[in-house]
Amino acid sequence: MKTGDDKNRKYYILSRVAAVLAGVLGLLLLYLVGRYNYNLFHSFVDGVSIVIAVCAFTIIWNSRRLVDNNYFLFTGIAFLFFAFLDSIHLLGNKDMGIFPGYGNLGPTFYIAGRYVLSISLLIAPLFIKRRLNSTLMFAAYSLATSLILLSVFYWRVFPACIVEGVGLTPFKVISDYVICLILLGATGLLVVNRESFDPRVLRIIVFSIALAIATGLTFTLYTDPFGITNMVGHLFQIASFYLVYLAFIETSLTKPQEILYRKLKQDEIKLTNTNVELQQEIAERKQAKEALERSRATLQAVLDGAPGGVVVVDMAGKTLLASAATRLIFGGPVTADAHGPPGGYSVSTPDGTPVPAGRLPLTLALQGQSVADAELTITRSDGTQAIILASATPLRNTTGEIWGAVTIFQDITERKHSEEAVRKSRDELEIRVEQRTSQLRESEETALRQKREIDAYYDSSPIGLCAFDRDLKYLRINQRLADLNGLPPSEHIGRTVQELLPQPLAGIIEPALRQVMETGEPITGMEFTAAAGGLPGVRGTWLQIINPLKDETEQVIGVTVAVQDITELRHLEEQLRQAQKMEALGTLTGGIAHDFNNILAGIIGFTELVLDDELPSGSP
């Protein structure tokens, strides 16, 4: 037994020696870095101080229920706000260039952060045995921090701490001495209350404050921000914060029992009261169970009123909650299996491939995977089908274990039918445009005789029309498209879209024009959303058809463009997807189809008129 203790003691000594050597080497390395690049050294030291302060807050905050000494919680919260001010101190140095209108803010926020931290360390011993209201603490520190920021950036009344070309101001030097006195007072209060701390932890905290005092005294001596005195002060600072970090870890993580054992006698008294509290807790749990049942009934009522389907299952696939809409979509109960009960439903992909049980969104969620917007086809027992979007998410308890899953279904059958109708209409439009384009080539003489009539139709068309030459410069444009671009037709001729149209609209259109010009292949059904030049700030959705303009030898000599505003159509489609009742969906779908047919009639009629006219001989 003694041999084992000796080995542990040797290991402890060796580990401490190694830690000291590592610290010395680290400080030496920092010194060399500072001599090479002071800005890098300064940023690293302040960055480490900030990280340590945030880590100290994080550790003590998350272990606050283990530590009965609220001194640590008080100082942990103080470290969080100190880290914020120290971050601005780091960013506010003149070489960072982040606050160019405020001069060198580094010393200013250094002093502000040191005041906050030193005063906090002075007040913290008062809460060793007192209860701490963390919400009130956060509010107080937030107010103090806000006042500091306002005094610097808004009111600009915070005293200057350094004057360029002169050095430190009396306020800064005096403040450093005042802060050192405050820290000495904080050390005295710690010694007075030493029985509330583990001896080793107390020593570490006292040494850390001593190094903080040394930091402040050193910073009163430098005249050059890049000098050796300033560098030594920063080395004291990082050593001080390392001890802070070590003290907080020592208390919160590695030795919380040092405080718990000291309070064992108090815990015995608490144990007597625990029995009474336990009886009260049993009664409260009974009330909570009743409240849970009421909440479950309320939740079921809410789900039944929702337009989408919602299903909650446990790990065995047993349905815990299911909305009325879900039962309507599936024609019966929903299970985690691919098929429901006899005469139930089956699940397949949009192309008709059956979905195995192991690949269902609900099953995947029970395995820990999240599924978003999986499109599936449900075949009910009566042969009818529904197209749905399914999203599933695993449900976890406080320890992260999966205890069930929730799936949300959205019936998109009507929407898919509407999209299919729109697609077919678009295909028919493309076919008709191709047919009329062919007829246009065969009707050149007729087009020449009817040129005047075409010009009238061209300029009065509700659809934007234009033509480009080989260099993608405007040859012709009607009034409708010119109005959308915000310029008269005459100012378009001979200019490119890059010269006339705003970005990103020009960046969308020009590549498409160049593609048709180079390949000779038309682009039909090109849809994009952008703000027109004639309507600044108003974004619309446009359907654009681009065709090559060829001569008798089938050489591409330009391109023609037809632009249709389909913003309202897209709004109608969005309303169609959001409708909550199938009757409303059907009515809206009919309206959209009717409006789209009217648009197609206008496009087809005008295109026929354009294609039937002749161009004058010699026209490009």
Side-chain angles (χ1 to χ4, degrees):
M1 190 71 178
K2 187 175 180 181
T3 303
D5 291 339
D6 291 339
K7 289 183 178 180
N8 291 335
R9 182 173 180 79
K10 289 180 180 179
Y11 175 80
Y12 175 82
I13 294 173
L14 289 175
S15 64
R16 291 303 175 185
V17 171
V20 171
L21 290 176
V24 172
L25 290 175
L27 292 175
L28 179 60
L29 179 60
L30 283 175
Y31 172 79
L32 295 176
V33 170
R35 301 300 294 174
Y36 173 74
N37 187 325
Y38 182 83
N39 284 330
L40 175 62
F41 164 79
H42 179 266
S43 299
F44 176 82
V45 171
D46 282 341
V48 170
S49 300
I50 293 167
V51 170
I52 291 175
V54 173
C55 288
F57 163 77
T58 303
I59 293 170
I60 201 66
W61 179 259
N62 287 288
S63 60
R64 62 190 181 279
R65 293 180 179 84
L66 297 176
V67 181
D68 293 329
N69 189 337
N70 281 324
Y71 173 91
F72 297 101
L73 180 57
F74 188 99
T75 53
I77 296 173
F79 276 127
L80 178 64
F81 287 88
F82 168 80
F84 173 75
L85 293 173
D86 204 35
S87 299
I88 304 180
H89 155 69
L90 173 60
L91 300 175
N93 281 306
K94 63 177 182 179
D95 292 334
M96 300 296 285
I98 297 179
F99 305 103
Y102 295 88
N104 189 356
L105 292 181
T108 299
F109 280 97
Y110 158 79
I111 285 296
R114 291 265 294 178
Y115 266 122
V116 169
L117 187 58
S118 61
I119 293 173
S120 300
L121 291 175
L122 182 65
I123 298 174
L126 301 178
F127 291 90
I128 291 175
K129 298 178 181 179
R130 286 187 176 90
R131 193 172 178 181
L132 181 64
N133 187 328
S134 56
T135 302
L136 184 60
M137 285 295 303
F138 273 104
Y141 275 105
S142 298
L143 176 61
T145 304
S146 299
L147 291 175
I148 292 173
L149 294 176
L150 288 172
S151 67
V152 175
F153 292 108
Y154 186 74
W155 297 317
R156 299 198 178 192
V157 296
F158 198 96
C161 293
I162 189 170
V163 177
E164 294 295 332
V166 176
L168 301 178
T169 64
F171 168 79
K172 197 272 184 187
V173 176
I174 294 172
S175 292
D176 271 322
Y177 286 123
V178 170
I179 290 169
C180 290
L181 291 175
I182 295 173
L183 291 175
L184 281 174
T187 304
L189 290 178
L190 281 177
V191 174
V192 171
N193 294 278
R194 57 185 176 276
E195 70 278 0
S196 299
F197 295 87
D198 176 69
R200 184 172 179 276
V201 173
L202 179 63
R203 286 196 300 272
I204 294 175
I205 295 176
V206 170
F207 285 144
S208 173
I209 294 176
L211 288 172
I213 294 173
T215 301
L217 293 176
T218 305
F219 283 160
T220 63
L221 302 176
Y222 76 86
T223 56
D224 180 11
F226 304 97
I228 185 67
T229 307
N230 189 288
M231 184 182 300
V232 172
H234 280 89
L235 293 178
F236 282 144
Q237 175 182 330
I238 197 169
S240 173
F241 271 89
Y242 169 75
L243 293 180
V244 168
Y245 183 68
L246 184 61
F248 275 66
I249 290 180
E250 189 75 28
T251 303
S252 301
L253 298 181
T254 61
K255 289 186 178 181
Q257 70 275 10
E258 293 295 336
I259 294 176
L260 297 178
Y261 291 161
R262 186 177 288 111
K263 298 183 181 295
L264 184 58
K265 196 166 186 179
Q266 298 176 359
D267 291 341
E268 290 178 356
I269 299 174
K270 292 180 182 178
L271 185 60
T272 304
N273 299 327
T274 301
N275 291 326
V276 178
E277 294 175 356
L278 185 59
Q279 295 298 324
Q280 295 176 348
E281 183 178 351
I282 293 173
E284 291 173 355
R285 287 191 177 186
K286 185 177 180 180
Q287 295 175 357
K289 184 177 180 181
E290 295 174 354
L292 181 62
E293 291 298 329
R294 291 194 298 270
S295 298
R296 179 185 177 89
T298 303
L299 178 59
Q300 183 64 58
V302 172
L303 293 180
D304 287 341
V310 180
V311 176
V312 179
V313 301
D314 60 15
M315 287 301 296
K318 179 182 177 182
T319 301
L320 303 178
L321 288 171
S323 65
T326 302
R327 294 187 287 273
L328 290 175
I329 293 173
F330 287 83
V334 180
T335 68
D337 197 356
H339 300 278
Y345 61 89
S346 62
V347 184
S348 60
T349 59
D351 61 3
T353 304
V355 178
R359 301 305 301 169
L360 287 173
L362 199 56
T363 307
L364 294 175
L366 290 174
Q367 297 171 359
Q369 302 181 41
S370 293
V371 180
D373 294 336
E375 186 174 325
L376 301 171
T377 299
I378 304 300
T379 303
R380 306 184 183 97
S381 58
D382 59 2
T384 60
Q385 292 185 330
I387 304 174
I388 65 170
L389 281 180
S391 299
T393 303
L395 298 175
R396 304 177 186 272
N397 57 23
T398 55
T399 62
E401 297 178 351
I402 299 175
W403 64 265
V406 59
T407 305
I408 300 176
F409 305 98
Q410 182 183 1
D411 190 340
I412 59 170
T413 306
E414 291 299 325
R415 191 185 83 185
K416 297 297 290 187
H417 291 168
S418 175
E419 291 176 352
E420 180 64 19
V422 172
R423 186 191 63 79
K424 289 181 179 180
S425 297
R426 188 176 296 170
D427 291 344
E428 291 176 2
L429 172 63
E430 293 176 0
I431 293 173
R432 291 190 181 187
V433 170
E434 287 294 332
Q435 292 173 346
R436 299 308 297 170
T437 302
S438 176
Q439 294 174 3
L440 180 63
R441 297 192 192 99
E442 299 172 358
S443 307
E444 184 175 355
E445 291 183 0
T446 304
L448 291 173
R449 291 193 302 268
Q450 299 177 349
K451 182 177 182 303
R452 289 185 179 180
E453 184 177 353
I454 291 176
D455 290 342
Y457 284 128
Y458 194 90
D459 291 333
S460 62
S461 171
I463 302 171
L465 299 171
C466 66
F468 295 88
D469 61 14
R470 288 190 177 92
D471 298 325
L472 298 183
K473 296 181 178 180
Y474 283 95
L475 289 173
R476 187 173 186 179
I477 184 170
N478 71 348
Q479 189 64 44
R480 170 62 175 164
L481 188 53
D483 291 341
L484 291 176
N485 292 344
L487 293 170
S490 59
E491 294 189 18
H492 287 73
I493 307 305
R495 302 173 70 180
T496 66
V497 293
Q498 288 289 352
E499 295 174 318
L500 297 177
L501 300 186
Q503 293 294 345
L505 187 58
I508 297 173
I509 296 175
E510 185 180 74
L513 297 176
R514 197 169 302 281
Q515 176 184 335
V516 175
M517 190 70 196
E518 293 175 352
T519 64
E521 297 295 329
I523 295 177
T524 59
M526 177 180 174
E527 185 176 321
F528 59 90
T529 300
L535 300 171
V538 179
R539 294 179 62 83
T541 302
W542 315 91
L543 180 64
Q544 181 170 268
I545 299 174
I546 306 175
N547 281 301
L549 184 63
K550 299 181 180 180
D551 59 14
E552 296 82 358
T553 63
E554 294 299 312
Q555 295 295 316
V556 179
I557 60 174
V559 293
T560 62
V561 179
V563 180
Q564 174 65 43
D565 185 353
I566 60 170
T567 304
E568 183 63 26
L569 176 61
R570 289 297 173 258
H571 288 169
L572 292 175
E573 289 178 353
E574 179 64 20
Q575 294 173 10
L576 176 62
R577 288 191 292 269
Q578 297 299 324
Q580 296 183 350
K581 296 182 180 179
M582 295 182 64
E583 292 85 357
L585 285 173
T587 301
L588 186 57
T589 303
I592 293 175
H594 177 74
D595 292 344
F596 195 70
N597 286 335
N598 288 340
I599 296 173
L600 289 177
I603 296 175
I604 293 171
F606 180 74
T607 307
E608 289 176 349
L609 292 173
V610 173
L611 299 179
D612 287 340
D613 285 346
E614 295 181 351
L615 296 173
S617 60
S619 173

